[in-house]
Amino acid sequence: MAGGTFRARARKALENPRLRRAVRVTMNNFMSARRAAMAELAQLAREGLALGDFAAMRERARAIKQHTLDHLDHYLARAATAIGERGGHVHFAAGAHEVGEIVREIARRRGVTLAVKSKSMATEEVHLNRALQADGIEVVETDLGEYIIQLAGETPSHIVGPAIHKTREEIAQLFGRVVGRELSTDTPTLTGVARQVLREKFVRAGMGISGANFVVAETGTLCIVTNEGNGRLVTSAPPVHVAVVGIEKLVPTLADLYVFLGLLARSSTGQKISVYTHMITGPRRPGEADGPEELHVIFLDAGRSDILGTEYQEVLHCIRCGACLNHCPVYRQTGGHAYGAVYSGPVGTVLTPLLGEFRDWKDLPAEACSLCAACWEACPVGIPLHDLILKHRQKTAREGLDQSGLGGPLRLGAAAWTKPWAYRLSVRVGRLALRWFAREEEGGRRWAVKAPGPLRAWTEGRDLPAPPEKSFRELWAEHLRERGQRA
Amino acid sequence: MALFITCLGDLFFPRAGMAVVKLLEHLGVEVTFPEGQTCCGQPQWNSGYPEAAAALARHFLDVFDGADYIVSPSGSCASMVQHYYPEIFRDDPARLDRTRQISGRIYEFTQFLVEVLGVEDLGARYPARATYHQSCHMTRLLGVEEPPLRLLRNVRDLELVPLEHPELCCGFGGTFSVKSPEVSVAMADEKLDDVTRTGADLLVGADPSCLLHLAGRAHRRRLPLKIMHVAEVLAEGVGL
């Protein structure tokens, strides 16, 4: 697990104005682009040109996902057969170790010394680069954002935009180190450098490694959605292509794929569809001009099958669009690294404790969410992320892992407040105490600037008003008397 | 109509509660206040203590049994009853049935005015430049977004200016505000900065919890901002 706690990492992020500005600007862009895309989708639906508006599409997508996950064995077998029939090789990996072994074995057999990668959260999850580098294989990320964070020695801070936390100046510095000269910060210069360096890698690479956004079970087709041309080069230029795919990425048919493609880019970046939608069915066939000689698909479990059939199953609907991150007010303040794991934001808050040791990650659901439900609203496959976070909190409490110190008071409060007299007594005591701690101010209003006990954290950044002189109950009693007199 | 004042409303926002009472009586509604009421159990539920929340939910059902309508000045507490009580009583058929009956009868205050009473214009006058903070549970869980805005738009001399990001959480989030105080405060700051940018001198909301949090942060920052519950604006605007 990552060092420290969410709270400590969040605090560090909050002290970084550059990071916060960068994250906020990108989130604003994503949010407004999505809003426009959704309005347009609704218009298309009215004209009969789309499968439905967002709500209707989301319902369809959700139903497809649920059906696929309920019959995952069947669809995995179907996909494996289809991939095999078209000349691909299928592997099943239980976890990070197995993925590393499978890819290293292929690399050894083919004498690979350089591998190029397109963006893939699954390979981030299993730390594949580290495994290959241990064998002396050079691994180069070719997605611009991934390349940037690889140079910086960091992990992605966003599912879709791994380097959104980086400013132009930081990127110019990183690229400047690669080419050994000082660079200006304009876009053509920076992308030009990346292109120049990476093209040479594409030509020399013995292996291309990708993920897949979807795998169509019926045809064994890998669907890879990107906005940069690198994905096409990774999967077609080197002689070997290896795709690492979470088992939950399956969809039954090409028609189902259409539903998801209509939702993915719109939810993510507000595009109707992304710049490249790449469909790969099998390796190069005789007589074809390009494509790899060998295609391997590694289906990754890594804790996913443990989620099947549990109350958390819906998190496996996730299509990694990042919409929940883009709309999360906590992510917006802290960026992705505060979450300390590969997956950040609301989906990371749900997924990370499930894929790792729950005990190590329980502070994410406890502290990284205000339960505003914006993630659920934005989610194109309708995952009730806020409710799954609640389930994590219940588990934390149930297993005695809640260290907030609030469990006792909350339980005690509930027991007392089922008795109206105890409620009234505690409110009276609370009122007196708060009025005692609140110092007098001009204008007659009193505020506590330093409260005791569990309220101390409140007054770290906020004042707490003293309760007004009379509670509602007292005002109500007076009102009743007046009403009686009037009647 | 039975008023559900909520614990925060009772303690911190008694005037908003009385504004609700006066407005409803002004509209000819008979208001009762079931004295046994305490709290809806949301703090327990949201912190992961469903059994404790269930105890309070059972109490709530007993107290409000038989009420024709239940109206609350808190969108969040109303959403707790409507949205989560069915889950709390999932395995308790008798109470689940009572919950379903109550769910159809609990309303947030502005929702009750607009959707049940059909009132959108109270003839109120309140001179101010105001902006409205949209609270999360009220909009996303209870599904109430328009009613407070319609009521406020019909207040004479009230210039209602939109927030840049009305949908962003203010950062209260119940125990989140003390478990993650730094992030919570940062969220309040963004909200308050957005409010300041609108040039509004009045911030209106429909949830005591958000208002408590934002008022507390605004006071710490010494922002010259007036913060009111929507019922207070309407009641004062009508002269009640």
Side-chain angles (χ1 to χ4, degrees):
Chain A
M1 72 171 283
T5 59
F6 171 76
R7 196 173 162 190
R9 291 187 300 264
R11 223 183 260 156
K12 208 172 131 206
L14 289 172
E15 285 161 7
N16 184 344
R18 246 187 351 189
L19 174 138
R20 294 179 70 191
R21 202 167 41 244
V23 172
R24 192 177 297 189
V25 166
T26 312
M27 295 308 104
N28 282 349
N29 290 342
F30 282 157
M31 282 165 89
S32 46
R34 177 185 176 275
R35 200 176 306 128
M38 291 306 151
E40 196 203 39
L41 184 64
Q43 181 57 38
L44 289 174
R46 278 193 292 275
E47 292 168 13
L49 297 170
L51 291 175
D53 62 3
F54 177 66
M57 294 269 284
R58 154 156 126 161
E59 213 29 66
R60 270 179 103 134
R62 196 181 151 153
I64 295 167
K65 275 287 176 187
Q66 194 174 335
H67 168 84
T68 315
L69 291 173
D70 286 346
H71 303 90
L72 194 57
D73 286 355
H74 166 77
Y75 286 112
L76 270 173
R78 183 103 195 254
T81 307
I83 292 167
E85 280 169 0
R86 284 157 182 83
H89 303 275
V90 176
H91 312 259
F92 289 93
H97 177 73
E98 286 83 354
V99 176
E101 282 307 300
I102 294 164
V103 182
R104 286 159 77 176
E105 173 52 33
I106 300 167
R108 272 194 288 259
R109 187 166 45 74
R110 299 282 310 206
V112 173
T113 54
L114 167 66
V116 283
K117 281 185 71 203
S118 76
K119 197 169 154 324
S120 143
M121 292 305 287
T123 57
E124 291 286 344
E125 195 185 317
V126 298
H127 307 293
L128 181 59
N129 293 11
R130 232 185 280 160
L132 292 175
Q133 282 155 356
D135 270 9
I137 299 167
E138 185 191 359
V139 187
V140 181
E141 296 288 348
T142 65
D143 170 270
L144 188 59
E146 285 282 341
Y147 182 55
I148 293 165
I149 60 164
Q150 186 180 34
L151 291 178
E154 293 178 14
T155 52
S157 73
H158 188 283
I159 291 176
V160 174
I164 54 142
H165 59 291
K166 288 276 178 222
T167 58
R168 225 164 243 288
E169 288 69 29
E170 291 170 289
I171 296 164
Q173 272 175 18
L174 288 168
F175 285 7
R177 278 212 313 258
V178 177
V179 292
R181 62 189 153 91
E182 204 162 301
L183 295 171
S184 73
T185 60
D186 60 297
T187 306
T189 303
L190 296 179
T191 50
V193 166
R195 184 171 294 131
Q196 183 198 335
V197 174
L198 294 175
R199 284 284 153 116
E200 189 255 324
K201 304 284 183 191
F202 284 124
V203 174
R204 288 205 296 114
M207 178 185 273
I209 301 170
S210 76
N213 294 80
F214 306 97
V215 177
V216 182
E218 129 185 282
T219 54
T221 303
L222 304 173
C223 178
I224 300 174
V225 174
T226 70
N227 272 323
E228 298 172 28
N230 69 310
R232 294 202 306 180
L233 288 164
V234 162
T235 55
S236 61
V240 180
H241 170 205
V242 178
V244 183
V245 191
I247 53 173
E248 81 284 13
K249 291 294 185 82
L250 283 167
V251 296
T253 66
L254 284 165
D256 296 323
L257 181 63
Y258 180 62
V259 176
F260 291 100
L261 290 179
L263 282 167
L264 178 58
R266 282 190 172 100
S267 300
S268 184
T269 51
Q271 293 163 288
K272 292 180 188 68
I273 196 161
S274 59
V275 179
Y276 297 93
T277 302
H278 199 36
M279 315 264 274
I280 301 164
T281 311
R284 184 198 309 191
R285 293 178 189 81
E288 286 182 344
D290 51 22
E293 295 155 18
E294 258 182 68
L295 168 69
H296 296 265
V297 180
I298 303 174
F299 284 113
L300 172 70
D301 186 330
R304 286 158 173 77
S305 58
D306 292 339
I307 303 173
L308 284 173
T310 69
E311 56 188 0
Y312 297 103
Q313 179 169 306
E314 275 180 278
V315 75
L316 296 177
H317 290 192
C318 177
I319 57 172
R320 312 282 190 262
C321 69
C324 62
L325 281 65
N326 299 346
H327 291 77
C328 175
V330 173
Y331 181 93
R332 183 181 176 87
Q333 300 299 335
T334 64
H337 287 153
Y339 294 80
V342 173
Y343 299 105
S344 58
V347 72
T349 300
V350 175
L351 206 50
T352 306
L354 293 172
L355 297 181
E357 279 293 320
F358 181 81
R359 179 180 287 270
D360 292 341
W361 295 102
K362 66 180 191 315
D363 60 329
L364 287 181
E367 294 167 14
C369 171
S370 70
L371 292 177
C372 79
C375 48
W376 168 57
E377 192 175 55
C379 177
V381 283
I383 307 171
L385 289 157
H386 62 301
D387 282 343
L388 298 184
I389 288 169
L390 266 178
K391 291 191 192 306
H392 275 328
R393 290 186 184 176
Q394 289 174 7
K395 185 173 170 164
T396 304
R398 205 166 49 231
E399 296 184 359
L401 299 170
D402 182 357
Q403 288 163 341
S404 69
L406 295 170
L410 282 169
R411 273 193 290 227
L412 199 69
W417 285 11
T418 51
K419 295 166 196 72
W421 66 264
Y423 169 81
R424 280 196 294 272
L425 180 68
S426 56
V427 166
R428 192 165 303 153
V429 172
R431 287 170 52 77
L432 285 173
L434 273 173
R435 287 179 68 80
W436 170 266
F437 280 104
R439 65 185 168 82
E440 193 81 41
E441 279 212 345
E442 66 277 5
R445 205 139 177 221
R446 294 149 63 122
W447 296 82
V449 294
K450 205 166 186 166
L455 286 175
R456 195 179 307 135
W458 176 280
T459 47
E460 267 179 30
R462 288 148 295 203
D463 295 339
L464 189 63
E469 211 165 325
K470 288 176 181 163
S471 71
F472 175 81
R473 274 158 202 280
E474 291 168 273
L475 293 179
W476 173 257
E478 286 173 12
H479 179 72
L480 276 188
R481 280 197 295 276
E482 281 169 26
R483 207 158 72 173
Q485 281 162 11
R486 275 204 309 271
Chain B
M1 193 286 307
L3 176 69
F4 172 41
I5 188 68
T6 79
C7 47
L8 275 183
D10 187 15
L11 190 58
F12 287 107
F13 292 85
R15 282 181 47 200
M18 281 317 294
V20 169
V21 171
K22 288 177 188 166
L23 280 166
L24 289 173
E25 289 184 345
H26 172 71
L27 293 165
V29 177
E30 194 196 326
V31 180
T32 62
F33 178 73
E35 295 276 351
Q37 63 178 277
T38 61
C39 165
C40 65
Q42 183 168 193
Q44 284 77 10
W45 176 253
N46 282 355
S47 305
Y49 295 90
E51 290 83 8
L56 288 163
R58 283 194 293 272
H59 180 69
F60 183 95
L61 288 189
D62 292 342
V63 168
F64 284 96
D65 217 6
D68 48 357
Y69 289 107
I70 303 162
V71 175
S72 175
S74 160
S76 183
C77 301
S79 83
M80 174 67 200
V81 175
Q82 207 198 48
H83 192 80
Y84 286 122
Y85 275 21
E87 196 178 331
I88 288 180
F89 295 123
R90 195 170 51 185
D91 302 320
D92 183 345
R95 285 204 177 83
L96 185 60
D97 199 45
R98 283 166 70 195
T99 297
R100 291 215 175 99
Q101 286 165 25
I102 276 190
S103 286
R105 290 185 273 128
I106 184 155
Y107 290 86
E108 180 276 328
F109 164 67
T110 63
Q111 180 192 21
F112 184 71
L113 285 191
V114 173
E115 292 177 9
V116 179
L117 301 181
V119 174
E120 294 190 10
D121 188 349
L122 285 151
R125 179 181 300 277
Y126 197 96
R129 184 177 166 88
T131 190
Y132 175 74
H133 163 64
Q134 178 180 307
S135 47
C136 301
H137 289 182
M138 177 158 153
T139 22
R140 299 200 182 95
L141 302 187
L142 197 62
V144 179
E145 187 171 343
E146 268 292 304
L149 294 169
R150 281 196 206 163
L151 287 158
L152 288 170
R153 276 189 210 113
N154 285 322
V155 175
R156 277 40 152 202
D157 299 335
L158 186 82
E159 190 195 347
L160 194 63
V161 285
L163 273 176
E164 194 183 338
H165 293 290
E167 74 287 359
L168 275 184
C169 172
C170 70
F172 173 68
T175 49
F176 172 76
S177 63
V178 292
K179 282 182 184 168
S180 264
E182 296 86 3
V183 184
S184 168
V185 164
M187 286 157 74
D189 276 344
E190 179 167 18
K191 183 64 73 178
L192 290 169
D193 290 343
D194 281 356
V195 171
T196 307
R197 254 194 301 278
T198 65
D201 46 33
L202 171 65
L203 174 63
V204 186
D207 244 309
S209 49
C210 310
L211 297 181
L212 186 75
H213 169 65
L214 289 170
R217 182 59 188 167
H219 191 259
R220 175 66 55 94
R221 287 176 58 183
R222 300 285 178 261
L223 295 176
L225 184 67
K226 202 169 171 186
I227 296 181
M228 289 170 86
H229 190 276
V230 60
E232 291 177 279
V233 176
L234 297 172
E236 284 187 31
V238 178
L240 294 169

